Amino acid sequence: MKRLICLALAVLLLILFAVPAFADESVEVTDESYYTKFQGQNLSISVYNWGEYISDGSDDTVDVNAAFEKLTGIKVLYTTFATNEELYAKIKSGGASYDIIIPSDYMVARMINEELIQPLDFANIPNARFLDEEYLYTDFDPEGAYSVPYTWGTVGIIYNTQYVDEEDTHSWDLLWDERYMGEILMFSNPRDSFAIALKRLGYSMNSTSEEQLRDACESLKDQKPLVQAYVMDEIFDKMEGEEAMIAPYYAGDAIIMADENPNLAFSIPDEGTNRFIDSICIPANAKQKEAAEMYINFLCEPQIAAANIDFIGYSTPNLAAYELLDEDMRQNSIAYPDQTVLQNTEAFVFLPAGISTLMDKLWTEILSNDESYSKWTIPAFLLVGIFFSIAINVRRMVQKKKESLL
């Protein structure tokens, strides 16, 4: 009932106040006077975000950062990172100062614990009223004091329907299937990779058992000979260009990749998966906290939030922005899976320091693992890989021949 009331209020406010954002970087917002405070002061804020994670003005979309600069007079210095661990290392070292960062749930918890981010002043973020409380008050930030939800989503398997049997895509076992040797990509960060291995073995992806983590480590070592590459943003070129056929990745990016290559599809394995929340935070050493809170408020403007979601394909925690999405997006089962799927998900939680350290150590061990296999194992892997590569190439040639005849 509370959520329905919040949604009704959000939609009412949107109807009363919100107006369209324009591709020429001019936007009208719920309260234009709010954004005038720093005009003419030559301020700048430094924003550190994931790659491909904000509407940037390409393809006639809203250039969110340019629109914010035009509206407020505040310059946005924008850079990107590829993993939570890269973000953490940069913030922990103190070698750089940022005013806005967008970590994932478990990293938010870690940064709260280590006092690397600071509480927000929600008096400066009135548009937080548009946010679904399910994503505002979470296990990683129970009081909702340090973070504002930006997007949410799930992790699943992206696969090429031309070369991968759909019936094989309902289990994480696909990523360990020797028939697809050399066609498999894997996350290049430990938390996501261990989560998949733990789920495949029937464990919680938040396991604090050293024995279970070591089991997962051995499983990932077994997988390594099958893996073409460990990737993050590189996945786009590899999957869209059909340089690889199978990869675990985030649902929002799967939608974007499928738009570029219709042969790609997405599946959430039956063993369950991660349901993540990426949130906007302000580092403890930020130089422009109030201007950063203005930026957060801008990202929560319903039409700006909707523009971002349209561009990046992820799921929105902004109730008013959700109502602005077209029907196809609201009904997209990848972005908004049904309750049966969501009930079989886990959110990452903060792990004890010792467990995080062990996971990092085991991950280094996996990446550097050159364990000698028996004299028959490597030839067997090679034969299977060669056979399957030939089969894939034959299917590619047949497909191209069919296309040329059409």
Side-chain angles (χ1 to χ4, degrees):
M1 179 61 70
K2 179 188 272 189
R3 194 173 301 169
L4 289 174
I5 293 172
C6 288
L7 177 58
L9 289 173
V11 173
L12 179 60
L13 287 167
L14 177 62
I15 293 172
L16 291 173
F17 298 110
V19 294
F22 300 99
D24 68 356
E25 298 160 10
S26 296
V27 295
E28 295 187 30
V29 290
T30 53
D31 180 7
E32 189 170 344
S33 64
Y34 166 87
Y35 294 101
T36 62
K37 183 172 183 177
F38 298 109
Q39 288 178 353
Q41 296 186 30
N42 198 31
L43 290 185
S44 64
I45 58 171
S46 181
V47 177
Y48 199 32
N49 193 6
W50 296 84
E52 309 283 342
Y53 217 38
I54 196 168
S55 181
D56 63 6
S58 59
D59 299 325
D60 295 322
T61 60
V62 177
D63 186 330
V64 169
N65 285 331
F68 178 78
E69 290 178 340
K70 184 172 183 178
L71 180 65
T72 66
I74 300 170
K75 177 71 175 175
V76 178
L77 307 176
Y78 190 85
T79 53
T80 64
F81 57 89
T83 69
N84 280 294
E85 288 68 28
E86 179 184 341
L87 163 66
Y88 172 79
K90 185 69 72 73
I91 300 300
K92 183 71 173 179
S93 71
S97 175
Y98 298 100
D99 300 295
I100 291 285
I101 57 173
I102 305 183
S104 300
D105 33 36
Y106 73 95
M107 192 55 70
V108 174
R110 184 173 186 177
M111 289 183 164
I112 292 172
N113 184 65
E114 297 182 21
E115 299 183 347
L116 294 176
I117 56 178
Q118 59 181 295
L120 304 173
D121 183 352
F122 280 86
N124 294 327
I125 312 173
N127 284 339
R129 67 187 183 273
F130 294 122
L131 300 171
D132 188 335
E133 290 189 359
E134 178 180 354
Y135 301 100
L136 191 57
Y137 303 102
T138 60
D139 289 341
F140 61 87
D141 186 7
E143 296 180 2
Y146 291 84
S147 62
V148 167
Y150 182 59
T151 64
W152 66 271
T154 56
V155 172
I157 297 174
I158 305 169
Y159 63 97
N160 192 304
T161 60
Q162 299 296 300
Y163 312 110
V164 179
D165 293 331
E166 192 274 338
E167 64 183 20
D168 294 334
T169 66
H170 300 289
S171 171
W172 291 117
D173 287 342
L174 178 61
L175 300 176
W176 278 258
D177 192 326
E178 295 175 6
R179 293 177 300 159
Y180 299 102
M181 180 182 187
E183 300 291 345
I184 298 169
L185 304 176
M186 191 61 177
F187 280 115
S188 68
N189 73 77
R191 193 69 195 267
D192 282 317
S193 293
F194 268 89
I196 291 170
L198 287 164
K199 275 296 186 185
R200 176 173 176 261
L201 295 171
Y203 303 140
S204 166
M205 63 186 187
N206 293 308
S207 176
T208 57
S209 163
E210 290 192 18
E211 180 180 356
Q212 292 179 1
L213 286 173
R214 292 188 185 280
D215 286 347
C217 176
E218 292 306 311
S219 177
L220 290 166
K221 285 181 181 179
D222 291 341
Q223 181 202 34
K224 187 177 180 182
L226 309 178
V227 175
Q228 180 193 119
Y230 294 90
V231 300
M232 292 302 293
D233 288 344
E234 306 95 319
I235 190 175
F236 290 92
D237 289 339
K238 284 184 173 290
M239 292 300 294
E240 290 171 6
E242 299 192 351
E243 296 174 29
M245 299 300 148
I246 302 165
Y249 219 63
Y250 312 113
D253 293 315
I255 294 172
I256 300 300
M257 284 184 257
D259 285 343
E260 295 296 323
N261 184 342
N263 291 333
L264 300 179
F266 184 78
S267 176
I268 295 179
D270 294 340
E271 297 96 334
T273 190
N274 170 222
R275 183 183 184 183
F276 61 84
I277 302 172
D278 290 341
S279 296
I280 317 166
C281 304
I282 298 179
N285 65 348
K287 296 177 180 177
Q288 300 292 345
K289 181 175 186 288
E290 191 172 348
E293 288 165 340
M294 184 175 286
Y295 184 81
I296 295 174
N297 192 71
F298 185 71
L299 293 181
C300 293
E301 291 286 349
Q303 294 208 357
I304 293 301
N308 278 330
I309 291 302
D310 275 336
F311 186 79
I312 67 178
Y314 279 69
S315 311
T316 182
N318 189 309
L319 296 171
Y322 176 81
E323 292 302 315
L324 293 177
L325 301 177
D326 63 41
E327 186 67 17
D328 287 344
M329 188 61 178
R330 293 201 303 270
Q331 298 299 322
N332 189 305
S333 61
I334 297 177
Y336 300 98
D338 62 34
Q339 285 302 311
T340 302
V341 173
L342 293 179
Q343 287 170 3
N344 195 28
T345 61
E346 272 189 278
F348 281 145
V349 300
F350 176 64
L351 297 176
I355 294 299
S356 294
T357 299
L358 175 61
M359 186 180 292
D360 290 342
K361 178 181 177 182
L362 293 174
W363 181 245
T364 300
E365 188 177 306
I366 292 162
L367 296 183
S368 61
N369 179 53
D370 290 317
E371 181 179 341
S372 297
Y373 296 92
S374 73
K375 65 180 181 179
W376 299 111
T377 304
I378 292 178
F381 273 138
L382 290 174
L383 285 173
V384 171
I386 291 170
F387 174 80
F388 201 63
S389 291
I390 291 172
I392 286 176
N393 285 323
V394 168
R395 292 178 71 173
R396 284 174 175 159
M397 291 171 64
V398 170
Q399 184 69 20
K400 289 180 179 178
K401 188 172 183 179
K402 286 181 179 178
E403 291 173 354
S404 67
L405 293 174
L406 293 178

